[in-house]
Amino acid sequence: MAAAATMTWHEELATLVGDNGVRFPGAGGESAANVAAVGGGWYRGGEEEEGEGEGREVEEGWAQQARGFVESTAEMLRLLGRGLWDIAAQSLAGAEDSELARRLRGPAAAAGKRLSFMNEYLPEDRDPVRCWVVVAAVAFVTLIVLGVGSVDDTPVELPKKLYIGPPSAKTIQLPDGRHIAYKEQGVTADRARFSLIAPHSFLSSRLAGIPGINPSLLEEFGARLVTYDLPGFGESDPHPGRNLNSSAHDMLHLAGALGIVDKFWVVGYSAGSIHAWSALRHIPDRVAGAAMFAPMANPYDSKMTKEERRKTWERWSTKRKLMHILARRFPALLPLFYHQSFLSGKQGQPESWLSLSLGKKDKTLLEGPMFNAFWEKDVAESVRQGDARPFVEEAVLQVSDWGFSLSDIQMQKREDLSFFELIKSLFSQAEREWVGFLGPIHIWQGMDDRVVPPSVTEYVRRVVPGATVHKLLDEGHFSYFCFCDECHRQIFSTLFGIPQGPINPVPEPSEVASQLTEETTVPDKVKEEEQEISGLA
């Protein structure tokens, strides 16, 4: 009992671990050897302090105790880890031939095949299996570090909630029974010299149109601007089976219901341009012309070269690339992101919600109160129904098969030519005939646009030779199209020439007859008054 009472905790720890055969010089006694086996020789219970008598042990300080405890604990953890590794290796030996492994082998191979497209982003001399394991591990550690480092005790102002007002849109009923909501600006139908129909972009609604356009400008050019909610957006009924062909015919039925008998212009801005392209492809006989602003193209179009695709992707943020990949490969995951951003019921900024990279002019515009007021109202109307499905459908439409290529909008006419005529046509551009949409197509592209890069417009110009491109130096994605009176005047002057005002409608025959009746009755009244005056005299 006395021996046990004089034993230190280091010696008790050594007795628990046991002797693993490691010995260090200068250690005396059985207990010292055991302690050296654990702690690397940090305690020598048999040494005497210099200048003292025999049998007097060295008094250890708190620093030595702490160091010894840490080293002993590390040694035990190392031995424990080695034991667990040996157990796991023995347990997994032959596991590839087990029933569970045979059942998982097929789904694992299928998942690996679907994810094999990501191997294109790896160097050619790297093993994909090892690389992606390392990437996953680094990403996991990075998320942990960011989560720990993002802890901030400073109070943060909570975002405001989106205010969604009561329904107020005008609607028409389509032939399939759906209702579509629309908005009119400018002159009335009977006075309109030009009619424009503008489908909205991704996170938008019928309230957008041409943001900030002055009503006096529409009156000056005699223009009528019609905007509408895409299916499932705003107050329009959803259409789960929609595609770009049905989108074009929705536009056609809307024009007929609103009394647009002549051809109309289509306005395509950003993601809304895919519906404008569809109108040029499917209903070209009803379209007078197209005004495109930073128009989108399918980034997976087979007609796009590798260099054009590379220039497009390199200007996008990492998150936006991920959203495109999800929309094409795993669209079922998109609602998870949407409900965390614009479907959360809170206000937010375009660059964060849409994962956009913005230039200097765009940032200046988006920080202004005028744009913020417009953005909050437009987004609130866009998410009125609170359903993620229309947004998923729209995102999938952008990156999936459109049913046509942009090169199909204008195609060279094929004729049965003789050999010599064919050789001659190769060297004579003027004699080539084109079919498809032959009306004017104007494209305005900001050269500092980082949302739809200029490389997209270069591709469009290559495959649609009849398009006229207006390059805008130092302009971004929003700066020229939104809240710029001078820009809007330049656009309308380019499309319509000198402003001629609205059309003065010809009066109906019944109106002419009523006017003539009034003119003939006035003299009779005058005669009666003269007779009364003469009688009094």
Side-chain angles (χ1 to χ4, degrees), residues 356-430:
L356 305 181
S357 300
L358 301 178
K360 183 178 180 181
K361 275 197 171 183
D362 280 343
K363 289 182 178 179
T364 302
L365 175 66
L366 267 61
E367 291 173 355
M370 188 178 298
F371 185 90
N372 282 321
F374 153 76
W375 167 257
E376 292 174 6
K377 189 175 181 181
D378 190 35
V379 171
E381 185 62 28
S382 179
V383 302
R384 169 182 292 276
Q385 302 184 32
D387 191 357
R389 285 177 294 180
F391 296 94
V392 174
E393 294 166 1
E394 191 70 12
V396 172
L397 275 179
Q398 295 176 11
V399 297
S400 61
D401 184 11
W402 289 5
F404 66 94
S405 174
L406 291 182
S407 60
D408 299 334
I409 292 177
Q410 289 182 347
M411 296 177 292
Q412 185 177 354
K413 186 176 181 181
R414 294 185 178 182
E415 299 178 350
D416 295 332
L417 302 177
S418 64
F419 177 76
F420 294 103
E421 291 176 340
L422 179 62
I423 297 297
K424 183 180 178 181
S425 65
L426 295 176
F427 297 94
S428 178
Q429 293 284 347

Side-chain angles (χ1 to χ4, degrees), residues 6 8 11 31 43-49 52-60:
T6 59
T8 65
E11 295 169 341
S31 63
Y43 174 72
R44 295 172 183 160
E47 284 187 327
E48 293 182 349
E49 188 177 357
E52 299 292 337
E54 292 185 0
R56 186 172 181 180
E57 295 181 348
V58 178
E59 293 292 337
E60 56 179 343

